[in-house]
């Protein structure tokens, strides 16, 4: 399962890095760059935060989306696992925004399909990574035969008590106080 996930991550990261670079550079393809500038003028008109009286400059909007796609795409491929998860989240939110924009502009389904496919693949990647992590946690927490029969080593008890105390310390004061009283 790790190899298909890595391949999907590299595919998506490379795609977003290339599309981000295309939004940032006029030298890659001048005709495409001109079309993108015209599209971002339309995108700025239906920007989701327009409700709060914020409408971005189309060129700044294009640059921000380009940098986000480029950096998040590179981190999705090359970053450590935590940054891969963050970049996946950012790209997922970006694709949701793209779909919102396309629907607001009443674009055809054919125009929405790339954003839908990218969003679906990002969500698939996120779900599969979560399942793999859950599977690793379940394997790590399986009980030993001695624990199943009830004969637990006494050396494990201080660690459990410490973990409970750490959990209690992270709770709000009133709840932590109540739990401490119950456990005492």
């Amino acid at each position: 399962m790790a190899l298909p996930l890595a391949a999907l991550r590299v595919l998506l990261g490379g795609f977003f890095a290339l599309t981000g670079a295309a939004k940032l550079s006029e030298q890659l393809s001048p005709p495409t760059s001109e079309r993108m500038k015209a599209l971002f003028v339309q995108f700025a008109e239906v920007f989701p935060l327009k409700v709060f009286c914020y409408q971005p400059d189309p060129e700044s909007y294009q640059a921000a989306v380009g940098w986000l796609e480029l950096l998040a795409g590179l981190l999705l491929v090359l970053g450590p696992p935590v940054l891969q998860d963050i970049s996946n989240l950012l790209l997922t939110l970006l694709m949701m925004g793209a779909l919102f924009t396309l629907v607001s502009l009443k674009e055809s389904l054919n125009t929405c399909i790339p954003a839908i496919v990218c969003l679906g693949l990002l969500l698939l990647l996120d779900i599969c990574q979560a399942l793999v992590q859950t599977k690793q946690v379940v394997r790590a927490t399986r009980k030993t035969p001695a624990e199943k029969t009830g004969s637990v080593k006494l050396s494990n008890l201080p660690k459990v008590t410490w973990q409970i105390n750490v959990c209690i310390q992270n709770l709000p004061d009133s709840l932590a106080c109540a739990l401490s009283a119950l456990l005492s």
Side-chain angles (χ1 to χ4, degrees):
M1 181 119 176
L3 186 60
L5 280 179
L8 181 59
R9 190 179 315 109
V10 168
L11 176 76
L12 285 169
F15 172 77
F16 279 107
L18 288 175
T19 58
K23 287 178 179 72
L24 294 172
S25 176
E26 295 178 9
Q27 298 168 351
L28 290 178
S29 176
T32 303
S33 179
E34 291 302 317
R35 278 193 311 232
M36 264 193 235
K37 283 182 182 179
L39 285 173
F40 270 91
V41 169
Q42 292 177 340
F43 295 165
E45 291 173 6
V46 294
F47 189 69
L49 295 180
K50 190 176 179 182
V51 174
F52 300 110
C53 299
Y54 177 73
Q55 186 172 357
D57 172 53
E59 287 183 23
S60 301
Y61 188 25
Q62 180 178 352
V65 170
W67 278 111
L68 179 63
E69 286 180 348
L70 177 66
L71 295 175
L74 289 174
L75 285 175
L76 196 60
V77 175
L78 304 172
V82 171
L83 291 179
Q84 287 176 348
D85 291 343
I86 292 170
S87 65
N88 191 352
L89 173 67
L90 290 174
L91 290 171
T92 300
L93 292 173
L94 184 70
M95 287 296 98
M96 288 177 174
L99 279 172
F100 171 83
T101 301
L102 293 171
V103 169
S104 296
L105 290 171
K106 296 183 174 118
E107 293 288 336
S108 68
L109 182 61
N110 289 338
T111 307
C112 296
I113 285 177
I116 292 169
V117 169
C118 287
L119 178 61
L121 290 174
L122 286 165
L123 291 173
L124 176 69
L125 179 64
D126 194 37
I127 290 168
C128 289
Q129 285 178 334
L131 288 174
V132 166
Q133 290 171 354
T134 303
K135 193 173 185 180
Q136 289 172 352
V137 169
V138 168
R139 283 183 182 164
T141 59
R142 285 200 177 140
K143 293 183 178 182
T144 63
E147 292 172 331
K148 286 180 184 176
T149 61
S151 58
V152 179
K153 296 179 188 175
L154 291 177
S155 61
N156 290 340
L157 291 178
K159 182 179 178 184
V160 171
T161 306
W162 177 79
Q163 289 173 342
I164 291 171
N165 287 336
V166 168
C167 290
I168 290 173
Q169 289 172 358
N170 291 331
L171 293 173
D173 291 336
S174 59
L175 188 58
C177 187
L179 283 176
S180 294
L182 288 173
L183 293 174
S184 297

